[in-house]
């Protein structure tokens, strides 16, 4: 399937179920990486604007670049109150943005869907001199039994499940290669509080998840609900999760 279509029909679940990001990450970006309210940022694969919102709240001009119409329409609805937001129907290798037009590029929960080399070329084209890129993921702590058991359910029921982030590993070599091995990694704790409804909705927001008309959908939902019940306290599960950010240059300079 065309990667730009993997999230068709999942925008509502994505908005309701997906976690946010720790403020400490943005404190670091704006303190240590020269991002400011005057910065122009391209958020590539912006989805429904989950990550972009934090940048918009700090006053930066943000171009939300997203190829999936459902996701982009939802982002525009969710963030309609921000005059510093621009919504762009574009892809990672054809953003539609001008040459040398942005100070910073972000890709949250998205890089694993991109053609890395083509994306790198596009980053070089649209970045201003000395501009940088941040690749960001929310990553489940697989030392958690709850996360291991949920992984087993996805693997059992979802034919498209290749592992989280499309099978990309933490510290994947493709990340280092993208940055010419010249980057900094930041990790922040970001535990996620789930009600049963939100946990199931989060599961349904995944590109690999079954949809309501798929075979075994009801059994899939039941097992997710049963798992939640085993681990919940006062109808809440705290899922162990970290946010990892890889930040660096894509220029050939050392």
């Amino acid at each position: 399937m065309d990667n730009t279509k993997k999230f068709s029909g999942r925008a509502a679940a994505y908005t309701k179920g997906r976690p946010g990001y720790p403020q400490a990450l943005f404190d670091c970006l704006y303190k240590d990486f020269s991002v400011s309210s005057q910065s122009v940022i391209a958020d590539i694969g912006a989805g429904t604007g989950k990550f972009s919102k934090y940048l918009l709240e700090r006053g930066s001009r943000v171009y939300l670049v997203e190829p999936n119409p459902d996701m982009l329409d939802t982002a525009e609805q969710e963030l309609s109150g921000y005059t510093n937001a621009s919504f762009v129907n574009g892809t990672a290798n054809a953003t539609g943005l001008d040459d040398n037009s942005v100070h910073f590029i972000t890709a949250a929960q998205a890089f694993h869907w991109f053609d890395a080399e083509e994306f790198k070329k596009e980053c070089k084209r649209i970045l201003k001199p000395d501009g940088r890129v941040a690749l960001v993921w929310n990553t489940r702590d697989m030392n958690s039994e709850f996360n291991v058991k949920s992984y087993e359910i996805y693997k059992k029921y979802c034919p498209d499940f290749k592992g989280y982030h499309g099978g990309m590993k933490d510290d994947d070599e493709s990340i280092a290669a993208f940055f010419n091995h010249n980057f900094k990694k930041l990790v922040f704790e970001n535990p996620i509080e789930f009600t049963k409804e939100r946990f199931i909705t989060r599961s349904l927001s995944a590109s690999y998840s079954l949809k309501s008309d798929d075979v075994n959908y009801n059994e899939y939902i039941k097992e997710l609900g049963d798992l939640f019940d085993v681990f919940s306290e006062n109808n809440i599960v705290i899922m162990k999760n970290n946010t990892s950010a890889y930040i660096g240059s894509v220029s050939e300079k050392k």
Side-chain angles (χ1 to χ4, degrees), residues 149-212:
K149 295 293 187 183
S150 59
Y151 183 101
E152 291 172 355
I153 292 173
Y154 302 138
K155 187 175 181 180
K156 176 180 177 181
Y157 284 103
C158 305
D160 292 335
F161 183 63
K162 304 295 189 294
Y164 300 124
H165 316 316
M168 179 174 283
K169 307 299 184 184
D170 196 32
D171 297 325
D172 198 278
E173 172 57 28
S174 64
I175 298 171
F178 177 78
F179 287 116
N180 307 308
H181 297 268
N182 181 25
F183 65 94
K184 182 173 183 179
K185 181 183 179 183
L186 309 173
V187 180
F188 303 88
E189 290 186 359
N190 188 23
I192 304 165
E193 181 177 299
F194 282 119
T195 61
K196 183 187 285 190
E197 179 186 12
R198 189 182 177 204
F199 171 61
I200 291 174
T201 301
R202 165 64 185 91
S203 298
L204 292 174
S205 76
S207 62
Y208 51 77
S209 182
L210 298 184
K211 293 184 177 181
S212 59

Side-chain angles (χ1 to χ4, degrees), residues 116-124 177-178 180 250 252:
E117 284 304 313
E118 291 302 313
F119 176 51
K120 188 173 184 176
K121 290 178 186 177
E122 185 70 350
C123 289
K124 290 179 179 179
F178 177 78
N180 307 308
V250 291
E252 303 303 327

Side-chain angles (χ1 to χ4, degrees), residues 4-5 24 38 98 101 125 148 151 155 160 213 217:
T4 66
K5 298 178 180 178
Q38 303 304 307
D98 291 340
S101 60
R125 186 185 70 79
V148 171
Y151 183 101
K155 187 175 181 180
D160 292 335
D213 57 352
Y217 175 82

Side-chain angles (χ1 to χ4, degrees), residues 219-235:
E219 293 86 348
Y220 168 62
I221 295 300
K222 182 179 186 304
E223 285 205 29
L224 289 172
D226 290 347
L227 174 67
F228 181 92
D229 291 341
V230 169
F231 286 89
S232 66
E233 294 184 15
N234 299 316
N235 300 313

